[in-house]
Amino acid sequence: MAALTIFPAIDLKGGQVVRLAEGDMARATVYGDDPAAQARLFADAGATHLHVVDLDGAFAGASVNGGAVESIIAAFPGKVQVGGGIRDRAGVDRWLELGVSRVIIGTAALKDPGFVKSAARDLPGRIVVGVDARDGMVATEGWADVSDVRVEDLARRFEDAGVAALLFTDVGRDGLLKGCNVEATVALAQAVDIPVIASGGVADINDIHALRPHVADGIEGVITGRALYDGRLDLAEAIAIGNSPPAGGRG
């Protein structure tokens, strides 16, 4: 029986732990100034995976919060995946050398797919493609721009490249606690032969229950941030549900 992996999120802005509303840097809520301590809290609750985003890097196009990420890796005993501003192979290699388990590439997947495909072939299981969507269309540059490419079309470009997973974020819901867009996430997972990680809008335990049965459809995991920080979602409970048999007993 495959589990639904719960990825607690640590978003970094100026070395602080923050959450944005709809990807807007001007709408950041600061939750702490010690990312390593936050990582240890998540580990203590049972987390085995972490999702870390260098928000400054996403907008600058180059990694910015390297020191904070290093402290997180040192503090967290599980696997850490990192995204934000990774636009070339040197950026990928730098994070992997620091001990990151997987690197998330977003904007470059649309603008330089050749780079992403070659990295995925050279580094099997280490490259995650971030597919950020607003109304079904791909959003890039830290979500500041919306392209004319449909989400499914971008995802299919990487089916044969050895990409470890697709990270699907509904930008219109991210950081707003509106509830995860389960329907769109499952539709993407069914459309491509790559595992999909759900992200954006997780509000409470109901979202975890809603996603759990769709592991069989290709949903690998779910990222949650603000719901954890606001106390609306208990991480240990979410992990327990992710590891439990889905309703109906199917594994």
Side-chain angles (χ1 to χ4, degrees), residues 223-246:
I223 292 167
T224 175
R226 186 176 168 193
L228 293 175
Y229 294 108
D230 285 355
R232 296 166 184 261
L233 178 66
D234 180 87
L235 180 55
E237 183 184 4
I239 292 169
I241 290 168
N243 289 332
S244 69

Side-chain angles (χ1 to χ4, degrees), residues 35-37 39-40 43 50 52 66-78 80 98-100:
R40 283 191 290 271
L50 264 190
V52 178
V69 176
E70 285 187 68
S71 72
I72 289 169
I73 293 168
F76 188 74
V80 178
L98 285 177
V100 166

Side-chain angles (χ1 to χ4, degrees), residues 42-100:
F42 286 147
D44 290 345
T48 55
H49 295 72
L50 264 190
H51 175 75
V52 178
V53 180
D54 178 356
L55 290 171
D56 300 297
F59 284 84
S63 300
V64 175
N65 287 285
V69 176
E70 285 187 68
S71 72
I72 289 169
I73 293 168
F76 188 74
K79 296 182 177 181
V80 178
Q81 63 182 28
V82 174
I86 303 166
R87 311 275 164 89
D88 56 31
R89 183 58 183 269
V92 170
D93 292 342
R94 176 174 175 271
W95 285 126
L96 294 180
E97 287 164 8
L98 285 177
V100 166

Side-chain angles (χ1 to χ4, degrees), residues 106 109-110 113 129-132 138 149-159 166:
L110 180 64
V129 170
V131 184
D132 302 330
V138 176
V149 178
R150 292 196 58 77
V151 168
E152 293 85 354
D153 294 337
L154 177 66
R156 289 191 183 103
R157 296 178 190 177
F158 299 99
E159 276 197 299
L166 297 172

